[in-house]
Amino acid sequence: MIKVLMVEDDLELAEILTEYLEQFSIDVDTIDDPFLTLPSLSEKKYDLVILDLTLPGLDGLDICVDIRKRHDIPIIISSARHDIQDKIEALDRGADDYMPKPYDPRELQARIKSLLRRKPTATNSEGMEKKSTANRDIVYNEDRYIMSLKGEELTLTKAELGILKYLLSKQSAVVSRDELIYNVDAISEDSTNKSIDVIVGRIRQKLGDNPKNPTYIHSVRGVGYKLLL
């Protein structure tokens, strides 16, 4: 059973979506108080968050940032705000998808399944699924907070670890410098694009990556970086 947390103050819409998604073994818990979002994610394990942006007392974009700083969980924005800037900001701040209301519940179900198919899992020695983030050579062990390259532990600062972990989580997607600033807890929101470039340069050195012909971290001119998986 897939467990979803829906942060939505339109309870009639939430009920309609909940009933529809139940047909596909998707169990939805709804909260209409945005201040309960982080406590709910801490108290119970969820596979995905559906987040409205227009909420009482707290903007959904701020919630998105707070979720991403603390949890590696897919976030779908479900919002009546159609401004392209809202969509760009949401994606920059860590959302994985953006669905302008109104939409067909069938599309929501399809996007949930699509996001969860792409989320990496690994199997531990007892045969149970355990969350991990990895590419061919780079693996992050969430239980031990260790990043390794070809089985060898990397010595990284908090900022370096945060950026590399975030790049891994985006699964070869291009990540802007602003997105890194907003979503990596160890990076100050006052940081500049240049400071991000410096940190990425240090990560490349520790990976043995040649910036002119990189194996792992590729620059995307005018945008940011992507980590090849």
Side-chain angles (χ1 to χ4, degrees), residues 69-72 119-122 130-154 156-169 207 227 229:
K69 284 182 176 180
R70 294 165 175 80
H71 300 278
D72 180 18
K119 188 170 178 61
T121 58
K130 177 181 173 180
K131 193 163 45 172
S132 70
T133 312
N135 84 335
R136 297 185 306 263
D137 302 328
I138 305 168
V139 177
Y140 178 63
N141 185 310
E142 294 191 69
D143 289 338
R144 300 175 62 200
Y145 303 101
I146 289 174
M147 191 77 70
S148 60
L149 173 66
K150 297 181 179 178
E152 295 293 325
E153 182 180 346
L154 292 167
L156 302 170
T157 66
K158 287 184 178 180
E160 292 165 0
L161 177 62
I163 286 178
L164 187 52
K165 181 184 174 186
Y166 192 79
L167 290 172
L168 277 168
S169 74
L207 294 175
L227 180 69
L229 298 183

Side-chain angles (χ1 to χ4, degrees), residues 63-116:
I63 300 172
C64 185
V65 171
D66 288 340
I67 293 172
R68 185 54 68 228
K69 284 182 176 180
R70 294 165 175 80
H71 300 278
D72 180 18
I73 186 170
I75 302 170
I76 296 177
I77 299 297
S78 164
S79 178
R81 284 155 57 173
H82 290 197
D83 191 315
I84 187 62
Q85 189 57 39
D86 282 324
K87 183 174 184 178
I88 291 170
E89 269 201 84
L91 295 172
D92 276 349
R93 295 190 182 199
D96 297 278
D97 204 346
Y98 193 104
M99 297 188 64
K101 298 175 183 175
Y103 50 80
D104 192 311
R106 292 175 297 179
E107 183 180 1
L108 177 61
Q109 181 267 337
R111 293 198 186 199
I112 290 172
K113 291 293 182 69
S114 176
L115 278 174
L116 294 180

Side-chain angles (χ1 to χ4, degrees):
M1 178 73 78
I2 296 169
K3 301 289 186 181
V4 171
L5 178 65
M6 183 182 297
V7 188
E8 173 63 69
D9 64 340
D10 184 343
L11 296 181
E12 183 177 351
L13 171 64
E15 184 176 355
I16 292 169
L17 293 175
T18 297
E19 290 179 359
Y20 180 80
L21 293 173
E22 281 177 351
Q23 305 173 66
F24 303 94
S25 297
I26 300 174
D27 183 35
V28 179
D29 290 341
T30 300
I31 55 173
D32 58 358
D33 182 348
F35 293 95
L36 296 178
T37 305
L38 292 180
S40 297
L41 288 172
S42 298
E43 290 170 7
K44 186 174 178 180
K45 178 176 172 54
Y46 290 98
D47 299 298
L48 182 140
V49 175
I50 300 172
L51 175 65
D52 190 11
L53 292 187
T54 306
L55 294 161
L58 191 60
D59 190 274
L61 290 173
D62 294 329
I63 300 172
C64 185
V65 171
D66 288 340
I67 293 172
R68 185 54 68 228
K69 284 182 176 180
R70 294 165 175 80
H71 300 278
D72 180 18
I73 186 170
I75 302 170
I76 296 177
I77 299 297
S78 164
S79 178
R81 284 155 57 173
H82 290 197
D83 191 315
I84 187 62
Q85 189 57 39
D86 282 324
K87 183 174 184 178
I88 291 170
E89 269 201 84
L91 295 172
D92 276 349
R93 295 190 182 199
D96 297 278
D97 204 346
Y98 193 104
M99 297 188 64
K101 298 175 183 175
Y103 50 80
D104 192 311
R106 292 175 297 179
E107 183 180 1
L108 177 61
Q109 181 267 337
R111 293 198 186 199
I112 290 172
K113 291 293 182 69
S114 176
L115 278 174
L116 294 180
R117 276 198 304 270
R118 299 204 305 266
K119 188 170 178 61
T121 58
T123 304
N124 65 17
S125 59
E126 296 176 358
M128 300 292 289
E129 275 195 343
K130 177 181 173 180
K131 193 163 45 172
S132 70
T133 312
N135 84 335
R136 297 185 306 263
D137 302 328
I138 305 168
V139 177
Y140 178 63
N141 185 310
E142 294 191 69
D143 289 338
R144 300 175 62 200
Y145 303 101
I146 289 174
M147 191 77 70
S148 60
L149 173 66
K150 297 181 179 178
E152 295 293 325
E153 182 180 346
L154 292 167
T155 302
L156 302 170
T157 66
K158 287 184 178 180
E160 292 165 0
L161 177 62
I163 286 178
L164 187 52
K165 181 184 174 186
Y166 192 79
L167 290 172
L168 277 168
S169 74
K170 301 309 286 187
Q171 302 189 40
S172 294
V174 178
V175 176
S176 71
R177 294 170 179 84
D178 285 343
E179 186 175 345
L180 291 170
I181 290 170
Y182 280 121
N183 291 285
V184 176
D185 204 19
I187 302 293
S188 167
E189 291 190 5
D190 296 327
S191 297
T192 64
N193 287 347
K194 180 62 177 177
S195 65
I196 296 298
D197 292 341
V198 170
I199 297 170
V200 170
R202 295 203 305 260
I203 296 171
R204 278 174 161 160
Q205 287 182 339
K206 293 178 180 182
L207 294 175
D209 224 357
N210 180 352
K212 294 183 178 179
N213 186 26
T215 300
Y216 303 114
I217 300 177
H218 288 240
S219 299
V220 180
R221 185 180 296 275
V223 182
Y225 299 97
K226 67 177 178 178
L227 180 69
L228 291 192
L229 298 183

